[in-house]
Amino acid sequence: MGVFVDVGNENFQSTLCSKIYVDKTGLLEYTNSVLNSNNRYVCVSRPRRFGKSITADMLSAYYGVGCDSRQMFSKLNIALTPEFGEYLNRYHVIQVDMNTFLCKIDPSTGMSATPLRAVQFFQNDVIAELRTVFPQSVNEDDVDLPTVLAQINQDTREKFVIIIDEWDAIFRENCSDVAAQEAYIELLRGLFKNAPSKKFVALAYLTGILPIKKYGTQSALNNFDEFTMVDSGILAEYVGFTGQEVKKLCDVYGIDFSEMKRWYDGYELDEGISIYSPKSVVDAIRMKKFGNYWTRTETYESLRDYIIMNYDGLKDSIVTMIAGGRCRVNPLKFQNDMVSFQSKDDILTLLIHLGYLAYDGIKQEVYIPNEEIRGEFCNAVEETGWDTVIQAIRDSEKLLQATWNGEEEEVARRIAKVQMENSSIIQYNDENSLSCIITLAYYNAMNEYMIVRELPTGKGFADMVFLPRRKSEKPAMVVELKWNQSVQGAIAQIQDRRYSAALEEYKGNILLVGINYDKKMKDYQCVIRKDVE
């Protein structure tokens, strides 16, 4: 077994030996269906911590010759399919992680390889191992990997499964090294797009954070089927853990599913599939504690830097989303790199691919998916100098306490302060923007409540409902927002339409909160009543 060629099944065996394993071998049914067809070129991009390397190890263990993986897969989902044994351990596999070559020490400099040298190391190291496996076909002076694979195929009729993990590392590590990127793309074209590759490639599987680089509006490798965080298509359930899978884990390990959902859910992909970050879910179960397990990498530095830049009014959008709102986005113009930004939409699209934002393809909106990521945004904002936003978040606990105490004037004063200090960020001209101000002002309420907008209740929809989290003794709150109307009318509307009827389980512990903004007076009024139904 080699390091890059026919690596065996030990890595995937280690995964199976882990305490927590979720069976994702159904993906192999899809790759088997496209094997040796015109659709055999597959690129799956997803954020860090979403199981890319485990998937690469699974593919290698299943297809790779030189090892026997039948017993390993026999109790997994793929074993139930008719094609299970047909392709098991039938192909020579080339499996590489591009980060390996970027971390390699260049003998000529004694330093880590430049991106251009990493591309050369990729070819040299794989060719060296192929020379050992196919000595009759690979010469000592061969340096071009596509040519070598074409020669092996001509001599032996062998086809290869080629797996490139972190395929986009060349584009991420040194964003401005155009020469290296062009050399790398040309290598990939030789491997996957030129005529000889049609003979030696049985399956190509690329995985990374970014989709394949575009030049203008065209993909550099337009023969690939791409499955991304913007459009995950039929592979949506393999991007991360599904809600059903997480619910099953919570049942097995006695974990509060509603809290798991609050912390790590929120990526609503195609077909209505809800996706969780696998690493975060596993760590929460292992550590028996909900918290932020989002490992900081260069992607966090990027998030902070983009926020600081405030490119094309990005700050307004970020604060709106921290406050629970959503923003429109057009992800189609994104060039799939980290430098070619033409608009705010490009940065928002990049943040989708990095996992910091979720995307609603039907409404074409982005939003912060869960509590873990919301915390990352707040950490990033703290390093940007957005003092008024940070102060609003810090003061939100005092506002919440004032609401519980029925201190109407204090509540109105504190909300007015948040609105005044952030009016340049959140466009303030309707009830929707008012709800963003309220959500930002009550930011810390998310620790005690699940906040639902437009909840169907009684004879209509309540603007905002604060539902206490499990085991909380805090009152439920129904909040009605008015714009240039009567604050007393807000309370009357809650009572007349019996909004609290939908909160029967909280009967006797419900606060009715009416908030009105008087545009002419530039002032707030607040009325707080205990529900007496």
Side-chain angles (χ1 to χ4, degrees), residues 319-326 374 426 431-440 446 450-457 461-467 479 481:
V319 175
T320 296
M321 288 186 287
I322 288 176
R326 293 185 171 210
R374 193 181 307 279
I426 298 177
E431 286 190 16
N432 183 59
S433 55
L434 175 56
S435 67
C436 286
I437 287 290
I438 298 301
T439 307
L440 178 60
M446 296 177 191
M450 180 174 67
I451 302 176
V452 182
R453 294 190 184 189
E454 299 293 330
L455 181 72
T457 54
F461 294 82
D463 287 335
M464 301 178 72
V465 174
F466 291 62
L467 300 175
V479 180
L481 307 177

PDB file of all heavy atoms in Angstrom, residues 319-326 374 426 431-440 446 450-457 461-467 479 481:
ATOM      1  N   VAL A 319     -25.373  42.885  10.596  1.00  0.00           N
ATOM      2  CA  VAL A 319     -26.107  43.259  11.803  1.00  0.00           C
ATOM      3  C   VAL A 319     -27.573  42.841  11.685  1.00  0.00           C
ATOM      4  O   VAL A 319     -28.170  42.357  12.648  1.00  0.00           O
ATOM      5  CB  VAL A 319     -25.986  44.770  12.076  1.00  0.00           C
ATOM      6  CG1 VAL A 319     -26.860  45.174  13.256  1.00  0.00           C
ATOM      7  CG2 VAL A 319     -24.539  45.134  12.351  1.00  0.00           C
ATOM      8  N   THR A 320     -28.141  42.996  10.511  1.00  0.00           N
ATOM      9  CA  THR A 320     -29.518  42.561  10.298  1.00  0.00           C
ATOM     10  C   THR A 320     -29.661  41.072  10.589  1.00  0.00           C
ATOM     11  O   THR A 320     -30.627  40.633  11.230  1.00  0.00           O
ATOM     12  CB  THR A 320     -29.957  42.855   8.848  1.00  0.00           C
ATOM     13  OG1 THR A 320     -29.961  44.270   8.638  1.00  0.00           O
ATOM     14  CG2 THR A 320     -31.356  42.308   8.579  1.00  0.00           C
ATOM     15  N   MET A 321     -28.675  40.289  10.157  1.00  0.00           N
ATOM     16  CA  MET A 321     -28.754  38.836  10.370  1.00  0.00           C
ATOM     17  C   MET A 321     -28.461  38.461  11.825  1.00  0.00           C
ATOM     18  O   MET A 321     -29.064  37.529  12.356  1.00  0.00           O
ATOM     19  CB  MET A 321     -27.811  38.121   9.403  1.00  0.00           C
ATOM     20  CG  MET A 321     -28.311  38.149   7.966  1.00  0.00           C
ATOM     21  SD  MET A 321     -27.320  37.178   6.815  1.00  0.00           S
ATOM     22  CE  MET A 321     -25.853  38.193   6.668  1.00  0.00           C
ATOM     23  N   ILE A 322     -27.550  39.163  12.475  1.00  0.00           N
ATOM     24  CA  ILE A 322     -27.327  38.933  13.903  1.00  0.00           C
ATOM     25  C   ILE A 322     -28.615  39.205  14.672  1.00  0.00           C
ATOM     26  O   ILE A 322     -28.934  38.543  15.658  1.00  0.00           O
ATOM     27  CB  ILE A 322     -26.179  39.819  14.432  1.00  0.00           C
ATOM     28  CG1 ILE A 322     -24.833  39.298  13.903  1.00  0.00           C
ATOM     29  CG2 ILE A 322     -26.152  39.845  15.960  1.00  0.00           C
ATOM     30  CD1 ILE A 322     -23.654  40.164  14.291  1.00  0.00           C
ATOM     31  N   ALA A 323     -29.376  40.173  14.169  1.00  0.00           N
ATOM     32  CA  ALA A 323     -30.645  40.534  14.804  1.00  0.00           C
ATOM     33  C   ALA A 323     -31.782  39.610  14.389  1.00  0.00           C
ATOM     34  O   ALA A 323     -32.949  39.890  14.677  1.00  0.00           O
ATOM     35  CB  ALA A 323     -31.002  41.980  14.463  1.00  0.00           C
ATOM     36  N   GLY A 324     -31.451  38.499  13.704  1.00  0.00           N
ATOM     37  CA  GLY A 324     -32.465  37.511  13.355  1.00  0.00           C
ATOM     38  C   GLY A 324     -33.089  37.706  11.992  1.00  0.00           C
ATOM     39  O   GLY A 324     -34.002  36.953  11.621  1.00  0.00           O
ATOM     40  N   GLY A 325     -32.628  38.689  11.243  1.00  0.00           N
ATOM     41  CA  GLY A 325     -33.206  38.940   9.932  1.00  0.00           C
ATOM     42  C   GLY A 325     -32.543  38.141   8.827  1.00  0.00           C
ATOM     43  O   GLY A 325     -31.632  37.355   9.049  1.00  0.00           O
ATOM     44  N   ARG A 326     -33.014  38.365   7.621  1.00  0.00           N
ATOM     45  CA  ARG A 326     -32.486  37.704   6.435  1.00  0.00           C
ATOM     46  C   ARG A 326     -32.136  38.755   5.396  1.00  0.00           C
ATOM     47  O   ARG A 326     -32.662  39.868   5.434  1.00  0.00           O
ATOM     48  CB  ARG A 326     -33.504  36.717   5.850  1.00  0.00           C
ATOM     49  CG  ARG A 326     -33.792  35.507   6.733  1.00  0.00           C
ATOM     50  CD  ARG A 326     -34.706  34.540   6.023  1.00  0.00           C
ATOM     51  NE  ARG A 326     -34.834  33.275   6.734  1.00  0.00           N
ATOM     52  CZ  ARG A 326     -35.064  32.113   6.134  1.00  0.00           C
ATOM     53  NH1 ARG A 326     -35.204  32.056   4.815  1.00  0.00           N
ATOM     54  NH2 ARG A 326     -35.168  31.001   6.846  1.00  0.00           N
ATOM     55  N   ARG A 374     -23.990  32.047  15.294  1.00  0.00           N
ATOM     56  CA  ARG A 374     -24.285  33.399  15.775  1.00  0.00           C
ATOM     57  C   ARG A 374     -23.193  33.864  16.740  1.00  0.00           C
ATOM     58  O   ARG A 374     -22.757  35.014  16.716  1.00  0.00           O
ATOM     59  CB  ARG A 374     -25.648  33.428  16.470  1.00  0.00           C
ATOM     60  CG  ARG A 374     -26.190  34.836  16.727  1.00  0.00           C
ATOM     61  CD  ARG A 374     -27.540  34.764  17.433  1.00  0.00           C
ATOM     62  NE  ARG A 374     -28.462  33.912  16.713  1.00  0.00           N
ATOM     63  CZ  ARG A 374     -29.168  34.308  15.652  1.00  0.00           C
ATOM     64  NH1 ARG A 374     -29.043  35.541  15.219  1.00  0.00           N
ATOM     65  NH2 ARG A 374     -29.987  33.473  15.048  1.00  0.00           N
ATOM     66  N   ILE A 426     -29.308  49.446  10.224  1.00  0.00           N
ATOM     67  CA  ILE A 426     -30.565  48.802   9.854  1.00  0.00           C
ATOM     68  C   ILE A 426     -31.498  49.849   9.252  1.00  0.00           C
ATOM     69  O   ILE A 426     -31.803  50.855   9.881  1.00  0.00           O
ATOM     70  CB  ILE A 426     -31.224  48.142  11.083  1.00  0.00           C
ATOM     71  CG1 ILE A 426     -30.308  47.045  11.649  1.00  0.00           C
ATOM     72  CG2 ILE A 426     -32.582  47.559  10.715  1.00  0.00           C
ATOM     73  CD1 ILE A 426     -30.841  46.385  12.900  1.00  0.00           C
ATOM     74  N   GLU A 431     -42.337  47.824   9.738  1.00  0.00           N
ATOM     75  CA  GLU A 431     -42.416  46.903  10.867  1.00  0.00           C
ATOM     76  C   GLU A 431     -41.368  45.797  10.779  1.00  0.00           C
ATOM     77  O   GLU A 431     -40.949  45.253  11.798  1.00  0.00           O
ATOM     78  CB  GLU A 431     -43.825  46.294  10.947  1.00  0.00           C
ATOM     79  CG  GLU A 431     -44.859  47.289  11.457  1.00  0.00           C
ATOM     80  CD  GLU A 431     -46.202  46.624  11.757  1.00  0.00           C
ATOM     81  OE1 GLU A 431     -46.228  45.384  11.868  1.00  0.00           O
ATOM     82  OE2 GLU A 431     -47.202  47.352  11.877  1.00  0.00           O
ATOM     83  N   ASN A 432     -40.927  45.450   9.572  1.00  0.00           N
ATOM     84  CA  ASN A 432     -39.898  44.422   9.449  1.00  0.00           C
ATOM     85  C   ASN A 432     -38.574  44.902  10.051  1.00  0.00           C
ATOM     86  O   ASN A 432     -37.901  44.174  10.783  1.00  0.00           O
ATOM     87  CB  ASN A 432     -39.695  44.036   7.982  1.00  0.00           C
ATOM     88  CG  ASN A 432     -38.675  42.927   7.833  1.00  0.00           C
ATOM     89  OD1 ASN A 432     -38.843  41.840   8.371  1.00  0.00           O
ATOM     90  ND2 ASN A 432     -37.607  43.203   7.104  1.00  0.00           N
ATOM     91  N   SER A 433     -38.221  46.165   9.747  1.00  0.00           N
ATOM     92  CA  SER A 433     -36.993  46.708  10.334  1.00  0.00           C
ATOM     93  C   SER A 433     -37.162  46.883  11.844  1.00  0.00           C
ATOM     94  O   SER A 433     -36.211  46.725  12.605  1.00  0.00           O
ATOM     95  CB  SER A 433     -36.618  48.035   9.679  1.00  0.00           C
ATOM     96  OG  SER A 433     -37.679  48.968   9.747  1.00  0.00           O
ATOM     97  N   LEU A 434     -38.394  47.189  12.279  1.00  0.00           N
ATOM     98  CA  LEU A 434     -38.655  47.285  13.715  1.00  0.00           C
ATOM     99  C   LEU A 434     -38.403  45.931  14.386  1.00  0.00           C
ATOM    100  O   LEU A 434     -37.814  45.866  15.467  1.00  0.00           O
ATOM    101  CB  LEU A 434     -40.098  47.731  13.946  1.00  0.00           C
ATOM    102  CG  LEU A 434     -40.596  47.767  15.400  1.00  0.00           C
ATOM    103  CD1 LEU A 434     -39.705  48.647  16.260  1.00  0.00           C
ATOM    104  CD2 LEU A 434     -42.046  48.242  15.445  1.00  0.00           C
ATOM    105  N   SER A 435     -38.804  44.849  13.742  1.00  0.00           N
ATOM    106  CA  SER A 435     -38.586  43.528  14.333  1.00  0.00           C
ATOM    107  C   SER A 435     -37.101  43.206  14.409  1.00  0.00           C
ATOM    108  O   SER A 435     -36.658  42.515  15.340  1.00  0.00           O
ATOM    109  CB  SER A 435     -39.326  42.458  13.528  1.00  0.00           C
ATOM    110  OG  SER A 435     -38.775  42.301  12.241  1.00  0.00           O
ATOM    111  N   CYS A 436     -36.299  43.710  13.457  1.00  0.00           N
ATOM    112  CA  CYS A 436     -34.847  43.504  13.523  1.00  0.00           C
ATOM    113  C   CYS A 436     -34.254  44.245  14.722  1.00  0.00           C
ATOM    114  O   CYS A 436     -33.389  43.712  15.428  1.00  0.00           O
ATOM    115  CB  CYS A 436     -34.181  43.975  12.230  1.00  0.00           C
ATOM    116  SG  CYS A 436     -34.455  42.880  10.827  1.00  0.00           S
ATOM    117  N   ILE A 437     -34.719  45.466  14.948  1.00  0.00           N
ATOM    118  CA  ILE A 437     -34.259  46.232  16.106  1.00  0.00           C
ATOM    119  C   ILE A 437     -34.618  45.495  17.393  1.00  0.00           C
ATOM    120  O   ILE A 437     -33.797  45.368  18.313  1.00  0.00           O
ATOM    121  CB  ILE A 437     -34.895  47.638  16.107  1.00  0.00           C
ATOM    122  CG1 ILE A 437     -34.265  48.508  15.014  1.00  0.00           C
ATOM    123  CG2 ILE A 437     -34.742  48.305  17.467  1.00  0.00           C
ATOM    124  CD1 ILE A 437     -32.829  48.909  15.273  1.00  0.00           C
ATOM    125  N   ILE A 438     -35.853  44.991  17.465  1.00  0.00           N
ATOM    126  CA  ILE A 438     -36.296  44.287  18.674  1.00  0.00           C
ATOM    127  C   ILE A 438     -35.467  43.028  18.906  1.00  0.00           C
ATOM    128  O   ILE A 438     -35.047  42.730  20.028  1.00  0.00           O
ATOM    129  CB  ILE A 438     -37.796  43.924  18.575  1.00  0.00           C
ATOM    130  CG1 ILE A 438     -38.648  45.198  18.460  1.00  0.00           C
ATOM    131  CG2 ILE A 438     -38.224  43.101  19.774  1.00  0.00           C
ATOM    132  CD1 ILE A 438     -38.493  46.159  19.618  1.00  0.00           C
ATOM    133  N   THR A 439     -35.175  42.292  17.835  1.00  0.00           N
ATOM    134  CA  THR A 439     -34.396  41.059  17.978  1.00  0.00           C
ATOM    135  C   THR A 439     -32.980  41.363  18.432  1.00  0.00           C
ATOM    136  O   THR A 439     -32.415  40.642  19.269  1.00  0.00           O
ATOM    137  CB  THR A 439     -34.378  40.267  16.657  1.00  0.00           C
ATOM    138  OG1 THR A 439     -35.711  40.066  16.202  1.00  0.00           O
ATOM    139  CG2 THR A 439     -33.712  38.913  16.842  1.00  0.00           C
ATOM    140  N   LEU A 440     -32.389  42.412  17.888  1.00  0.00           N
ATOM    141  CA  LEU A 440     -31.044  42.804  18.321  1.00  0.00           C
ATOM    142  C   LEU A 440     -31.075  43.245  19.783  1.00  0.00           C
ATOM    143  O   LEU A 440     -30.211  42.863  20.584  1.00  0.00           O
ATOM    144  CB  LEU A 440     -30.507  43.933  17.432  1.00  0.00           C
ATOM    145  CG  LEU A 440     -29.119  44.478  17.801  1.00  0.00           C
ATOM    146  CD1 LEU A 440     -28.067  43.366  17.723  1.00  0.00           C
ATOM    147  CD2 LEU A 440     -28.734  45.639  16.882  1.00  0.00           C
ATOM    148  N   MET A 446     -32.196  34.764  23.491  1.00  0.00           N
ATOM    149  CA  MET A 446     -32.048  33.476  22.820  1.00  0.00           C
ATOM    150  C   MET A 446     -31.515  32.407  23.764  1.00  0.00           C
ATOM    151  O   MET A 446     -31.635  31.217  23.493  1.00  0.00           O
ATOM    152  CB  MET A 446     -31.145  33.613  21.594  1.00  0.00           C
ATOM    153  CG  MET A 446     -31.729  34.520  20.520  1.00  0.00           C
ATOM    154  SD  MET A 446     -30.626  34.746  19.126  1.00  0.00           S
ATOM    155  CE  MET A 446     -31.440  36.089  18.254  1.00  0.00           C
ATOM    156  N   MET A 450     -36.897  30.377  22.571  1.00  0.00           N
ATOM    157  CA  MET A 450     -36.907  30.227  21.131  1.00  0.00           C
ATOM    158  C   MET A 450     -37.805  31.338  20.597  1.00  0.00           C
ATOM    159  O   MET A 450     -38.972  31.442  20.993  1.00  0.00           O
ATOM    160  CB  MET A 450     -37.449  28.859  20.709  1.00  0.00           C
ATOM    161  CG  MET A 450     -37.478  28.679  19.199  1.00  0.00           C
ATOM    162  SD  MET A 450     -37.941  26.999  18.695  1.00  0.00           S
ATOM    163  CE  MET A 450     -39.654  26.965  19.252  1.00  0.00           C
ATOM    164  N   ILE A 451     -37.261  32.185  19.736  1.00  0.00           N
ATOM    165  CA  ILE A 451     -38.011  33.341  19.240  1.00  0.00           C
ATOM    166  C   ILE A 451     -38.582  32.999  17.870  1.00  0.00           C
ATOM    167  O   ILE A 451     -37.855  32.633  16.957  1.00  0.00           O
ATOM    168  CB  ILE A 451     -37.108  34.580  19.155  1.00  0.00           C
ATOM    169  CG1 ILE A 451     -36.501  34.886  20.536  1.00  0.00           C
ATOM    170  CG2 ILE A 451     -37.894  35.781  18.643  1.00  0.00           C
ATOM    171  CD1 ILE A 451     -35.509  36.032  20.532  1.00  0.00           C
ATOM    172  N   VAL A 452     -39.908  33.119  17.754  1.00  0.00           N
ATOM    173  CA  VAL A 452     -40.595  32.765  16.517  1.00  0.00           C
ATOM    174  C   VAL A 452     -41.284  34.010  15.971  1.00  0.00           C
ATOM    175  O   VAL A 452     -42.036  34.681  16.686  1.00  0.00           O
ATOM    176  CB  VAL A 452     -41.636  31.657  16.745  1.00  0.00           C
ATOM    177  CG1 VAL A 452     -42.294  31.268  15.426  1.00  0.00           C
ATOM    178  CG2 VAL A 452     -40.991  30.449  17.409  1.00  0.00           C
ATOM    179  N   ARG A 453     -41.027  34.304  14.721  1.00  0.00           N
ATOM    180  CA  ARG A 453     -41.714  35.418  14.070  1.00  0.00           C
ATOM    181  C   ARG A 453     -42.939  34.899  13.324  1.00  0.00           C
ATOM    182  O   ARG A 453     -42.930  33.815  12.759  1.00  0.00           O
ATOM    183  CB  ARG A 453     -40.786  36.111  13.078  1.00  0.00           C
ATOM    184  CG  ARG A 453     -39.599  36.801  13.720  1.00  0.00           C
ATOM    185  CD  ARG A 453     -38.874  37.651  12.693  1.00  0.00           C
ATOM    186  NE  ARG A 453     -37.674  38.270  13.241  1.00  0.00           N
ATOM    187  CZ  ARG A 453     -36.959  39.190  12.617  1.00  0.00           C
ATOM    188  NH1 ARG A 453     -37.336  39.615  11.424  1.00  0.00           N
ATOM    189  NH2 ARG A 453     -35.876  39.705  13.168  1.00  0.00           N
ATOM    190  N   GLU A 454     -43.986  35.701  13.312  1.00  0.00           N
ATOM    191  CA  GLU A 454     -45.210  35.390  12.575  1.00  0.00           C
ATOM    192  C   GLU A 454     -45.747  34.006  12.959  1.00  0.00           C
ATOM    193  O   GLU A 454     -46.047  33.173  12.110  1.00  0.00           O
ATOM    194  CB  GLU A 454     -44.965  35.466  11.061  1.00  0.00           C
ATOM    195  CG  GLU A 454     -44.532  36.830  10.562  1.00  0.00           C
ATOM    196  CD  GLU A 454     -45.636  37.879  10.712  1.00  0.00           C
ATOM    197  OE1 GLU A 454     -46.821  37.493  10.641  1.00  0.00           O
ATOM    198  OE2 GLU A 454     -45.320  39.059  10.910  1.00  0.00           O
ATOM    199  N   LEU A 455     -45.881  33.760  14.259  1.00  0.00           N
ATOM    200  CA  LEU A 455     -46.400  32.482  14.734  1.00  0.00           C
ATOM    201  C   LEU A 455     -47.919  32.461  14.604  1.00  0.00           C
ATOM    202  O   LEU A 455     -48.593  33.371  15.084  1.00  0.00           O
ATOM    203  CB  LEU A 455     -46.008  32.257  16.195  1.00  0.00           C
ATOM    204  CG  LEU A 455     -46.485  30.930  16.811  1.00  0.00           C
ATOM    205  CD1 LEU A 455     -45.687  29.770  16.230  1.00  0.00           C
ATOM    206  CD2 LEU A 455     -46.333  30.960  18.329  1.00  0.00           C
ATOM    207  N   PRO A 456     -48.479  31.432  13.952  1.00  0.00           N
ATOM    208  CA  PRO A 456     -49.942  31.332  13.871  1.00  0.00           C
ATOM    209  C   PRO A 456     -50.531  31.144  15.271  1.00  0.00           C
ATOM    210  O   PRO A 456     -50.199  30.201  15.978  1.00  0.00           O
ATOM    211  CB  PRO A 456     -50.172  30.071  13.017  1.00  0.00           C
ATOM    212  CG  PRO A 456     -48.886  29.857  12.295  1.00  0.00           C
ATOM    213  CD  PRO A 456     -47.813  30.351  13.227  1.00  0.00           C
ATOM    214  N   THR A 457     -51.383  32.066  15.678  1.00  0.00           N
ATOM    215  CA  THR A 457     -51.959  32.009  17.029  1.00  0.00           C
ATOM    216  C   THR A 457     -53.378  32.546  16.979  1.00  0.00           C
ATOM    217  O   THR A 457     -53.624  33.632  16.455  1.00  0.00           O
ATOM    218  CB  THR A 457     -51.150  32.878  18.014  1.00  0.00           C
ATOM    219  OG1 THR A 457     -51.046  34.195  17.482  1.00  0.00           O
ATOM    220  CG2 THR A 457     -49.766  32.321  18.251  1.00  0.00           C
ATOM    221  N   PHE A 461     -51.677  36.095  13.254  1.00  0.00           N
ATOM    222  CA  PHE A 461     -50.268  35.796  13.423  1.00  0.00           C
ATOM    223  C   PHE A 461     -49.651  36.806  14.385  1.00  0.00           C
ATOM    224  O   PHE A 461     -49.727  38.019  14.154  1.00  0.00           O
ATOM    225  CB  PHE A 461     -49.529  35.869  12.082  1.00  0.00           C
ATOM    226  CG  PHE A 461     -49.952  34.811  11.104  1.00  0.00           C
ATOM    227  CD1 PHE A 461     -51.094  34.972  10.324  1.00  0.00           C
ATOM    228  CD2 PHE A 461     -49.220  33.644  10.957  1.00  0.00           C
ATOM    229  CE1 PHE A 461     -51.495  34.006   9.423  1.00  0.00           C
ATOM    230  CE2 PHE A 461     -49.606  32.665  10.062  1.00  0.00           C
ATOM    231  CZ  PHE A 461     -50.746  32.842   9.289  1.00  0.00           C
ATOM    232  N   ALA A 462     -49.058  36.312  15.444  1.00  0.00           N
ATOM    233  CA  ALA A 462     -48.362  37.206  16.370  1.00  0.00           C
ATOM    234  C   ALA A 462     -47.039  37.615  15.749  1.00  0.00           C
ATOM    235  O   ALA A 462     -46.345  36.791  15.138  1.00  0.00           O
ATOM    236  CB  ALA A 462     -48.122  36.493  17.698  1.00  0.00           C
ATOM    237  N   ASP A 463     -46.670  38.896  15.897  1.00  0.00           N
ATOM    238  CA  ASP A 463     -45.421  39.378  15.297  1.00  0.00           C
ATOM    239  C   ASP A 463     -44.225  38.596  15.809  1.00  0.00           C
ATOM    240  O   ASP A 463     -43.390  38.115  15.029  1.00  0.00           O
ATOM    241  CB  ASP A 463     -45.234  40.871  15.593  1.00  0.00           C
ATOM    242  CG  ASP A 463     -46.175  41.732  14.777  1.00  0.00           C
ATOM    243  OD1 ASP A 463     -46.601  41.279  13.695  1.00  0.00           O
ATOM    244  OD2 ASP A 463     -46.493  42.848  15.217  1.00  0.00           O
ATOM    245  N   MET A 464     -44.110  38.476  17.130  1.00  0.00           N
ATOM    246  CA  MET A 464     -43.000  37.744  17.726  1.00  0.00           C
ATOM    247  C   MET A 464     -43.504  37.022  18.971  1.00  0.00           C
ATOM    248  O   MET A 464     -44.229  37.605  19.779  1.00  0.00           O
ATOM    249  CB  MET A 464     -41.844  38.684  18.102  1.00  0.00           C
ATOM    250  CG  MET A 464     -41.270  39.464  16.938  1.00  0.00           C
ATOM    251  SD  MET A 464     -39.957  40.608  17.452  1.00  0.00           S
ATOM    252  CE  MET A 464     -38.650  39.433  17.808  1.00  0.00           C
ATOM    253  N   VAL A 465     -43.104  35.757  19.101  1.00  0.00           N
ATOM    254  CA  VAL A 465     -43.460  34.984  20.289  1.00  0.00           C
ATOM    255  C   VAL A 465     -42.174  34.422  20.880  1.00  0.00           C
ATOM    256  O   VAL A 465     -41.366  33.825  20.177  1.00  0.00           O
ATOM    257  CB  VAL A 465     -44.442  33.849  19.957  1.00  0.00           C
ATOM    258  CG1 VAL A 465     -44.682  32.983  21.190  1.00  0.00           C
ATOM    259  CG2 VAL A 465     -45.761  34.421  19.448  1.00  0.00           C
ATOM    260  N   PHE A 466     -42.003  34.632  22.183  1.00  0.00           N
ATOM    261  CA  PHE A 466     -40.831  34.139  22.909  1.00  0.00           C
ATOM    262  C   PHE A 466     -41.270  32.889  23.690  1.00  0.00           C
ATOM    263  O   PHE A 466     -41.988  32.998  24.683  1.00  0.00           O
ATOM    264  CB  PHE A 466     -40.305  35.200  23.871  1.00  0.00           C
ATOM    265  CG  PHE A 466     -39.673  36.390  23.199  1.00  0.00           C
ATOM    266  CD1 PHE A 466     -40.407  37.219  22.354  1.00  0.00           C
ATOM    267  CD2 PHE A 466     -38.339  36.696  23.431  1.00  0.00           C
ATOM    268  CE1 PHE A 466     -39.835  38.318  21.750  1.00  0.00           C
ATOM    269  CE2 PHE A 466     -37.750  37.800  22.839  1.00  0.00           C
ATOM    270  CZ  PHE A 466     -38.482  38.615  21.991  1.00  0.00           C
ATOM    271  N   LEU A 467     -40.836  31.723  23.226  1.00  0.00           N
ATOM    272  CA  LEU A 467     -41.212  30.467  23.863  1.00  0.00           C
ATOM    273  C   LEU A 467     -40.092  30.001  24.785  1.00  0.00           C
ATOM    274  O   LEU A 467     -38.964  29.788  24.326  1.00  0.00           O
ATOM    275  CB  LEU A 467     -41.476  29.393  22.797  1.00  0.00           C
ATOM    276  CG  LEU A 467     -42.596  29.700  21.793  1.00  0.00           C
ATOM    277  CD1 LEU A 467     -42.657  28.613  20.735  1.00  0.00           C
ATOM    278  CD2 LEU A 467     -43.930  29.833  22.504  1.00  0.00           C
ATOM    279  N   VAL A 479     -45.348  39.317  21.609  1.00  0.00           N
ATOM    280  CA  VAL A 479     -44.969  40.702  21.328  1.00  0.00           C
ATOM    281  C   VAL A 479     -45.647  41.160  20.043  1.00  0.00           C
ATOM    282  O   VAL A 479     -45.514  40.522  18.991  1.00  0.00           O
ATOM    283  CB  VAL A 479     -43.432  40.828  21.189  1.00  0.00           C
ATOM    284  CG1 VAL A 479     -43.048  42.273  20.887  1.00  0.00           C
ATOM    285  CG2 VAL A 479     -42.741  40.335  22.463  1.00  0.00           C
ATOM    286  N   LEU A 481     -45.928  44.368  17.432  1.00  0.00           N
ATOM    287  CA  LEU A 481     -45.206  45.573  17.037  1.00  0.00           C
ATOM    288  C   LEU A 481     -46.110  46.483  16.205  1.00  0.00           C
ATOM    289  O   LEU A 481     -46.845  46.010  15.328  1.00  0.00           O
ATOM    290  CB  LEU A 481     -43.960  45.201  16.213  1.00  0.00           C
ATOM    291  CG  LEU A 481     -43.018  44.177  16.857  1.00  0.00           C
ATOM    292  CD1 LEU A 481     -41.881  43.846  15.904  1.00  0.00           C
ATOM    293  CD2 LEU A 481     -42.482  44.694  18.185  1.00  0.00           C
TER     294      LEU A 481
END
